[in-house]
Amino acid sequence: MTTFTVYRKEKDDVNPPVAIATGLTVKSYVDDTALSNKTYLYSVAAIRDSIEKVSDEIEVSTITSDDPYVDYVYLYMPLVNNYDVVVGDAVITPTGANNSFATSGGINNEGYYIAGAASYFEFEMPNFFSTEPFCIEYYAKTSTGISTSVGIASFGATKNVDFAILTHTSAGAYVSRNNTSWLILGGTPTVDPSLSHYAFTWDGTTFRRFKNGTIASENAFASPITQTKNLATIGKKSNSLGFASDTGMQHLRITKGVPRYTENFVPPTNFVY
């Protein structure tokens, strides 16, 4: 008679798999010991006349997201210790000597950290802007200068920009579209030496700027956003557009198709995808 053994290990475990069920005589098994938010590798061994033949491993994940807009997430980067893209197909290109993931100082002692000019990362973001709502959000910490810029841009001296957001020490934020004038989202200064959550949303008619879940400013912005470029830049690419020194960022998440936030909210802390 043939019996079956089920082996399991966590995906990143370098040790051999462990038998979690032995002597099975049926060709189905329910693993009720698997923990949530884990990724496991399973294999099955068939044993007959003391000879064991083991199957290839299959990957099974118990990770579930509690994000109600998970299907609309265009890009998510934790930006904690590396440039890994968890959601999206972006290929990240970091540039500049001062790009780093700080192990001391910076943002919570870890995170994407910039300490000077001409430090940024870029990625392709084709056909993102049109008439669809969107949300760009992240956690940031800074003590000087402009805290963060996000844009589809060449960021040259002429501000050759389809769309850009700059959060500024004195004016709250600037939004530019179509390489034309800047729309000022006023209110209290955005820069904060403590780790704060920032969100910029567009619902098709109105831009809103949120800090730590509270609306800081809003302004009508109804026209479609025409996109002629695909390269997105996060950081300070030139002196004409970008952010200055001592700035850190974590949990960059871009949502397309829904504005995500239209009123005050509790900032997310659990980014599981």
Side-chain angles (χ1 to χ4, degrees):
M1 181 178 68
T2 300
T3 62
F4 301 95
T5 298
V6 177
Y7 292 96
R8 185 191 74 192
K9 72 172 187 175
E10 291 189 32
K11 183 177 181 179
D12 297 329
D13 190 349
V14 297
N15 297 307
V18 175
I20 59 173
T22 59
L24 299 176
T25 58
V26 295
K27 295 180 181 180
S28 62
Y29 174 74
V30 176
D31 181 7
D32 57 7
T33 65
L35 301 177
S36 60
N37 294 325
K38 298 284 187 180
T39 300
Y40 293 105
L41 298 176
Y42 288 89
S43 57
V44 178
I47 304 169
R48 185 171 185 177
D49 297 332
S50 299
I51 298 174
E52 182 180 71
K53 292 186 177 182
V54 183
S55 71
D56 293 335
E57 290 180 322
I58 63 169
E59 181 177 314
V60 177
S61 176
T62 62
I63 296 175
T64 58
S65 174
D66 59 1
D67 179 7
Y69 303 112
V70 60
D71 293 335
Y72 295 91
V73 177
Y74 180 89
L75 175 76
Y76 170 60
M77 299 176 64
L79 290 174
V80 175
N81 296 309
N82 51 49
Y83 292 100
D84 286 354
V85 177
V86 176
V87 179
D89 299 322
V91 176
I92 305 302
T93 306
T95 304
N98 296 316
N99 271 354
S100 66
F101 287 91
T103 56
S104 63
I107 179 171
N108 270 12
N109 294 330
E110 58 183 14
Y112 175 69
Y113 182 64
I114 290 187
S119 294
Y120 55 93
F121 64 89
E122 293 182 310
F123 54 92
E124 292 290 326
M125 204 168 169
N127 304 316
F128 180 82
F129 295 109
S130 59
T131 59
E132 289 189 77
F134 62 86
C135 172
I136 298 174
E137 62 185 314
Y138 46 82
Y139 277 89
K141 172 183 177 180
T142 189
S143 61
T144 61
I146 299 173
S147 62
T148 303
S149 69
V150 180
I152 304 293
S154 62
F155 284 171
T158 59
K159 296 185 176 66
N160 188 16
V161 177
D162 284 335
F163 174 85
I165 296 171
L166 288 83
T167 55
H168 194 275
T169 54
S170 59
Y174 292 91
V175 177
S176 175
R177 82 181 192 281
N178 306 341
N179 194 18
T180 58
S181 61
W182 292 95
L183 172 73
I184 297 177
L185 297 176
T188 56
T190 306
V191 169
D192 198 323
S194 61
L195 185 65
S196 298
H197 179 266
Y198 300 97
F200 298 86
T201 73
W202 185 55
D203 62 6
T205 60
T206 303
F207 262 117
R208 294 179 178 87
R209 176 174 68 91
F210 296 84
K211 179 179 177 183
N212 291 327
T214 300
I215 294 178
S217 53
E218 57 186 1
N219 207 327
F221 205 73
S223 300
I225 299 171
T226 302
Q227 181 174 338
T228 61
K229 308 171 187 67
N230 291 330
L231 192 64
T233 302
I234 310 293
K236 184 180 177 70
K237 189 170 181 178
S238 75
N239 289 329
S240 64
L241 199 59
F243 58 70
S245 61
D246 191 24
T247 301
M249 176 188 281
Q250 285 180 345
H251 300 297
L252 172 65
R253 183 169 67 181
I254 301 175
T255 305
K256 179 182 180 181
V258 292
R260 190 177 282 272
Y261 313 118
T262 56
E263 56 187 23
N264 293 348
F265 62 94
V266 177
T269 57
N270 182 32
F271 295 87
V272 177
Y273 291 102

